[in-house]
Amino acid sequence: MNAKLNDLKSTWVDSDDAPELDDVFFKSASLHDGNKLIRRGRPVSSAPLKKSATIRYSPEVIDAFKSTGRGWQTRMDTVLKDWLKKHDPSDVKI
């Protein structure tokens, strides 16, 4: 095991070359208490955040979007946003 540690090549040249730890770094960092993860860090994004919701759809709607593969929820969101451009949800009669 020590042989592997000795084989590691350090690319560190000077401690002054280290990046500055600014507010952006700390906002996107994970917070640990020892080995226990307290809060997982997320990259800071300029894009608007999405809201989480629990919602029920008919099986045929879910199956149709899931059959399109990875990203099906994003596609579903895109379709609904496009629908909102042309329709008013309050006009839908149930």
Side-chain angles (χ1 to χ4, degrees), residues 69-84:
R70 263 187 88 140
W72 68 271
Q73 290 175 332
T74 301
R75 280 189 289 283
M76 190 178 228
D77 181 57
T78 303
V79 167
L80 288 169
K81 284 191 285 187
D82 187 52
W83 184 88
L84 285 172

Side-chain angles (χ1 to χ4, degrees), residues 2 5 8 10-11 14 16 18 29-30 36 40-41 44 46 48 50-51 56 64 66 70 72 74 78 81 85-86:
N2 289 338
L5 291 176
L8 296 176
S10 176
T11 58
D14 184 359
D16 290 336
S30 296
K36 183 179 177 188
R40 190 177 82 181
V44 177
S46 61
K50 292 184 178 181
K51 292 184 179 181
R56 294 179 178 271
K66 274 190 171 184
R70 263 187 88 140
W72 68 271
T74 301
T78 303
K81 284 191 285 187
K85 290 177 187 175
K86 302 171 187 146

Side-chain angles (χ1 to χ4, degrees), residues 30-73:
S30 296
L31 178 63
H32 288 82
D33 183 9
N35 287 334
K36 183 179 177 188
L37 179 65
I38 304 298
R39 178 184 54 87
R40 190 177 82 181
R42 297 195 179 263
V44 177
S45 173
S46 61
L49 298 176
K50 292 184 178 181
K51 292 184 179 181
S52 179
T54 301
I55 189 166
R56 294 179 178 271
Y57 290 104
S58 59
E60 57 267 22
V61 171
I62 296 292
D63 293 343
F65 278 94
K66 274 190 171 184
S67 70
T68 63
R70 263 187 88 140
W72 68 271
Q73 290 175 332

